[in-house]
Amino acid sequence: MTFDLIHTDSSTKARAGIMHTDHGPVQTPVFMPVGTVGSVKGVFHRDLRDDVLSRIILGNTYHLYLRPGTEILEQAGGLHRFCNWEGPILTDSGGFQVFSLADCRKLTEEGCKFRSHIDGSSHLFTPENVIDIQRSIGADIMMAFDECPPGDAEYKYAEKSLGLTHRWLERCFKQYRATEPRYGHHQSLFPIVQGCTYGDLRRRSAEFVQQFDAEGYAIGGLAVGEPAEVMYEMIELVNAVLPEDRPRYLMGVGTPVNLLEAIERGVDMFDCVMPTRNGRNGMLFTSEGIVNIRNLKWRNDFSPLDPALCSFVDSTYTKAYLRHLTLAGEMLAAQIASLHNLAFYTWLMRQAREQILQGTFSAWKPAMVEKLSRRL
RNA sequence: GGGGAGAUACCAAAGCGGCCAACUGGGGCAGACUGUAAAUCUGCUGACUUUCGUCUUCGUAGGUUCGAAUCCUGCUCUCCCCA
């Protein structure tokens, strides 16, 4: 994977670029829909490609390893062919599950012992086998196996955890270099900068990861409970250290406002479950602000979901109808909301890119943030 | 005509002398959700009050009792069975 940095905004750190993968180009800034088990919940690939205009999606090592398992994925010819997604795929390493499934795991130097959330069976993830699994999946971008500590972790724990993440990173790259792609297309490996909310640890981490001359770098361990301002501060600090000519990926973030703030600080890639999960739960992100579609006030509002009309559902269905479907528990409601939210996120990324290229980002962004913060 | 059962908040349904403004569902209203164990979870849902609390409620009219949704009597209505 190569990255062309096309333009950097003159007054902010915002960047526009293109990533070239063996599964096609990806313009940045980019939002990548999360398709944990090989499915972006509630959305057809066709709509993701042709309506949402997504160019890259995520899968998850932990989930795909447990089900359907690497054997099936290998028989299928990799995840791309298994789920029939022709664009690039990025897989998270399972590091986040080490955090989110904290109750059923045990961390050691070797790796992470954990119990399956599906059947309780015991498994071990190591930096080596997590790379192997991602080779079996065939992700265009593989993520290093890391520990993602909670947002309120104390310094001592954060420092210890960072040491472990760094040692694991060395093992990830060793395994990465000792193995080959299985399906003929190139696979990148992105290190993950950790360090919680401690500036010196973040800086240390951002410096450490560069020794691997990776094709891109990720910032992890943010939006895990710390205030947004602290997150922005960490991003700023890390991006000041990371190389300019590689894409920066802010993992798991976030709200539309988070995205714009991060873009302003030089982030190129994002993923988040928010558009799909919150969509399923009745929340719409729109160009005018946030809509809780279950609210009484929408009962007779027959206007489009979003005047920006970023998806076909926006002009096909009204707020009143979507409210009705949502309250009725219809699965179509979840599909419509998910599709809209994803389309809105990618629309927002295209807008940001356009503004960066035209040199108007710094004027456009604050007004947009103000709009996106509104609760309608 | 005779016999039996029952009437509880928006709906359904517990409660059967004080811990009851009243369990629990549903419905309704509102909130949460950030590298997906989430089509999930959390509140509120008689009135007034920010809280404490006060007031009015369990078909209806009386009665017993220190105290009643709960016990007694009349009335109204509903359902079931037999003729």
Side-chain angles (χ1 to χ4, degrees):
Chain A
M1 195 269 285
T2 58
F3 178 65
D4 291 335
L5 183 58
I6 295 173
H7 187 72
T8 302
D9 186 60
S10 54
S11 54
T12 70
K13 306 276 190 213
R15 299 133 56 93
I18 300 183
M19 298 193 295
H20 299 280
T21 75
D22 286 352
H23 286 97
V26 179
Q27 300 192 324
T28 64
V30 64
F31 178 79
M32 308 178 285
V34 178
T36 307
V37 303
S39 145
V40 175
K41 292 186 193 297
V43 182
F44 290 116
H45 286 351
R46 183 191 61 182
D47 292 334
L48 269 183
R49 186 188 60 218
D50 299 340
D51 194 40
V52 174
L53 304 177
S54 291
R55 289 294 164 261
I56 174 169
I57 62 174
L58 256 71
N60 189 290
T61 302
Y62 168 86
H63 298 266
L64 291 167
Y65 159 78
L66 287 180
R67 192 165 55 190
T70 50
E71 195 180 326
I72 298 296
L73 290 168
E74 286 166 19
Q75 283 176 26
L79 181 60
H80 292 80
R81 288 175 68 178
F82 186 53
C83 75
N84 199 22
W85 174 258
E86 291 163 5
I89 294 175
L90 181 153
T91 42
D92 184 31
S93 62
F96 186 71
Q97 279 62 47
V98 173
F99 160 70
S100 66
L101 303 173
D103 296 341
C104 31
R105 52 83 160 158
K106 191 179 173 190
L107 276 181
T108 63
E109 184 64 36
E110 186 190 12
C112 180
K113 263 190 197 154
F114 63 91
R115 297 180 75 90
S116 159
H117 71 277
I118 299 165
D119 62 6
S121 54
S122 291
H123 303 266
L124 173 70
F125 269 175
T126 65
E128 290 79 17
N129 72 15
V130 161
I131 294 299
D132 293 343
I133 296 165
Q134 293 183 93
R135 288 287 195 200
S136 296
I137 293 170
D140 297 84
I141 300 174
M142 310 190 288
M143 299 306 302
F145 189 52
D146 65 335
E147 186 197 353
C148 175
D152 58 358
E154 287 180 13
Y155 186 87
K156 228 177 151 177
Y157 181 87
E159 189 177 31
K160 196 172 150 229
S161 164
L162 185 62
L164 184 66
T165 288
H166 285 174
R167 290 191 297 280
W168 282 0
L169 180 59
E170 287 170 336
R171 288 164 56 190
C172 280
F173 265 93
K174 195 174 168 206
Q175 184 71 4
Y176 173 61
R177 286 170 179 150
T179 54
E180 291 291 321
R182 287 170 173 271
Y183 311 111
H185 61 267
H186 178 71
Q187 295 182 276
S188 309
L189 174 60
F190 281 22
I192 303 172
V193 173
Q194 288 288 356
C196 296
T197 54
Y198 304 104
D200 61 316
L201 296 184
R202 284 284 172 186
R203 210 171 285 118
R204 190 196 300 176
S205 186
E207 279 157 8
F208 180 87
V209 298
Q210 291 185 53
Q211 67 184 278
F212 302 100
D213 191 28
E215 292 166 20
Y217 295 90
I219 307 172
L222 291 176
V224 285
E226 80 287 1
E229 283 307 322
V230 173
M231 169 169 78
Y232 300 148
E233 200 183 307
M234 293 301 121
I235 294 168
E236 217 168 303
L237 198 149
V238 167
N239 279 346
V241 178
L242 289 177
E244 299 262 313
D245 62 349
R246 306 292 154 90
R248 293 104 171 233
Y249 163 32
L250 178 59
M251 304 185 76
V253 175
T255 65
V257 170
N258 289 161
L259 266 54
L260 294 187
E261 294 294 348
I263 287 171
E264 182 174 50
R265 291 164 174 80
V267 173
D268 307 296
M269 305 163 66
F270 303 91
D271 79 282
C272 193
V273 302
M274 223 175 221
T276 43
R277 180 189 289 168
N278 289 29
R280 285 196 303 280
N281 295 332
M283 186 174 192
L284 297 182
F285 297 99
T286 80
S287 59
E288 305 277 281
I290 293 166
V291 169
N292 182 343
I293 200 63
R294 290 183 316 219
N295 286 177
L296 186 63
K297 61 187 156 200
W298 308 119
R299 73 190 182 285
N300 57 357
D301 186 321
F302 305 106
S303 64
L305 301 182
D306 186 341
L309 304 180
C310 15
S311 157
F312 89 89
V313 295
D314 293 359
S315 45
T316 305
Y317 305 109
T318 65
K319 293 191 186 75
Y321 179 61
L322 181 56
R323 171 179 141 87
H324 160 67
L325 293 183
T326 303
L327 293 181
E330 285 293 312
M331 64 171 117
L332 182 59
Q335 294 180 272
I336 292 171
S338 297
L339 189 55
H340 161 75
N341 281 346
L342 288 174
F344 172 70
Y345 267 62
T346 52
W347 173 87
L348 187 65
M349 293 302 97
R350 289 195 301 277
Q351 298 294 308
R353 188 171 206 274
E354 206 49 41
Q355 299 292 333
I356 293 165
L357 291 175
Q358 287 173 12
T360 47
F361 181 82
S362 57
W364 170 82
K365 181 242 157 188
M368 202 66 205
V369 163
E370 196 279 315
K371 273 177 87 175
L372 298 180
S373 307
R374 288 197 293 226
R375 293 193 163 259
L376 304 179

